[in-house]
Amino acid sequence: MTAGESSGSVVRRILLGSQLRRLRESRGITREAAGYSIRASESKISRMELGRVSFKARDVEDLLTLYGVTEEAERSSLLSLAKEANLAGWWHSYGDVLPSWFQTYVGLEGAASVIRIYEVQFVHGLLQTEGYAHAVVRRGMPGASRAEIDKRVALRLERQKVLVSERAPQFHAVLDEAALRRPYGDREVMRGQLEHLIEISERPNVTLQVMPFSFGGHAGESGAFTMLRFPESDLSDIVYLEQLTGALYLDKGEEVAQYEQVMEKLQADSSDPQRTRDLLRGLLQLT
């Protein structure tokens, strides 16, 4: 199974969930009633419609019957989607160190055609060197074993392959200057990280900008966030907000639009890619 196929399974899960929600709402059926029909709770229906859980074929069949979907071709199409949505992702083998709420993100990240991020605390995971990633994980998990740290770093490096794959997304990163000046690891690690940023910023699918201290206050006052866009026309953009013990996935149009405005303002106000490379070279000389 390729990374693209397994990442696509997450997208298919979300697509199937949204289609089931539309069918339910068009029939005026409550989540509670839908849950009762498949011997499940209202919250289970909610998780299914959000694409957060896998689908049993029998449950999908029963829901389609409840929603009045009797045409064989439509039923067959949705049941095939359910089967594809249950494919295990490549990240499944990292399940012992990967929180369930982050597994969804890894799949979405791998399936996106455009990834835009704003980061404040440290260099974004898709741009980290191995040495820098080790330092970040050690700092964030002081009680973790060496084996656990190594596995988390391995997962991060595996995720980075998306940027150099045949179907690599357009990746636009805005890093606050604080993320570049805050040391993780020793001088050699920081030098390696800065050199890597200069190198990867030259890739045709990567746009790297820095929000300099000299600009002062800026649009990113709410903190770090990620925006994901997908090639599937019926899948809306998603804003991902990571927290200490969980994450938020925003897909309501008005919420996404607000983050879109912030991202566009950050991109407009940050140093352009060439000045960003000049800034990185300047920091490299000081390190």
Side-chain angles (χ1 to χ4, degrees):
M1 181 190 306
T2 67
E5 287 172 339
S6 57
S7 297
S9 66
V10 176
V11 171
R12 292 184 182 98
R13 209 165 63 208
I14 293 173
L15 285 172
L16 177 58
S18 66
Q19 290 187 46
L20 289 175
R21 184 186 72 244
R22 285 195 292 268
L23 287 169
R24 177 182 60 77
E25 291 175 343
S26 71
R27 290 282 176 165
I29 297 171
T30 65
R31 278 193 290 263
E32 183 180 10
Y36 182 80
S37 75
I38 62 167
R39 304 151 300 280
S41 64
E42 178 182 352
S43 62
K44 172 69 177 294
I45 295 295
S46 178
R47 291 195 299 274
M48 289 174 67
E49 292 181 349
L50 290 169
R52 303 282 169 79
V53 293
S54 58
F55 294 88
K56 293 180 181 178
R58 178 184 170 185
D59 288 345
V60 176
E61 288 177 348
D62 289 348
L63 287 174
L64 292 178
T65 300
L66 178 67
Y67 301 157
V69 179
T70 56
E71 207 271 315
E72 191 55 40
E74 186 177 2
R75 287 179 69 91
S76 178
S77 173
L78 290 170
L79 286 169
S80 294
L81 192 59
K83 184 177 180 180
E84 294 167 2
N86 287 334
L87 292 172
W90 61 262
W91 55 91
H92 182 74
S93 60
Y94 294 91
D96 55 334
V97 297
L98 191 62
S100 58
W101 51 265
F102 192 63
Q103 292 184 30
T104 298
Y105 174 76
V106 174
L108 292 173
E109 181 183 74
S113 56
V114 180
I115 302 173
R116 290 181 290 172
I117 67 99
Y118 170 61
E119 190 58 78
V120 188
Q121 176 73 7
F122 38 62
V123 173
H124 189 268
L126 289 181
L127 299 173
Q128 293 177 7
T129 63
E130 185 173 359
Y132 185 94
H134 265 285
V136 170
V137 175
R138 279 198 305 269
R139 187 79 58 85
M141 304 187 65
S145 67
R146 177 72 189 205
E148 183 176 358
I149 291 173
D150 287 348
K151 195 162 188 180
R152 286 178 179 271
V153 171
L155 167 65
R156 195 158 299 181
L157 297 178
E158 188 69 28
R159 283 171 52 206
Q160 292 177 6
K161 292 180 180 179
V162 71
L163 293 183
V164 296
S165 67
E166 286 185 12
R167 297 169 57 197
Q170 288 297 314
F171 181 68
H172 198 142
V174 177
L175 302 179
D176 195 279
E177 187 174 341
L180 303 174
R181 290 187 176 272
R182 182 174 292 107
Y184 280 92
D186 57 23
R187 288 182 64 186
E188 183 179 350
V189 167
M190 288 303 296
R191 285 186 63 83
Q193 180 62 68
L194 292 169
E195 289 169 347
H196 177 64
L197 288 174
I198 294 170
E199 179 183 353
I200 200 167
S201 72
E202 300 279 4
R203 290 193 60 82
N205 63 311
V206 174
T207 302
L208 178 61
Q209 293 182 263
V210 170
M211 170 54 73
F213 285 152
S214 59
F215 187 82
H218 55 74
E221 60 187 17
S222 62
F225 63 94
T226 298
M227 299 191 71
L228 303 171
R229 179 166 294 164
F230 306 92
E232 292 81 6
S233 59
D234 50 351
L235 188 61
S236 62
D237 289 4
I238 291 177
V239 175
Y240 171 75
L241 303 173
E242 187 170 320
Q243 302 168 339
L244 185 61
T245 57
L248 294 175
Y249 295 85
L250 309 180
D251 63 355
K252 291 183 179 178
E254 60 271 23
E255 293 178 325
V256 172
Q258 288 189 327
Y259 279 92
E260 180 81 36
Q261 291 175 3
V262 170
M263 180 59 78
E264 290 180 356
K265 193 76 169 68
L266 284 168
Q267 292 172 189
D269 293 339
S270 295
S271 300
D272 64 31
Q274 186 54 55
R275 281 186 292 171
T276 288
R277 281 188 282 272
D278 292 341
L279 188 152
L280 289 168
R281 293 186 184 103
L283 289 174
L284 195 54
Q285 292 177 353
L286 297 174
T287 303

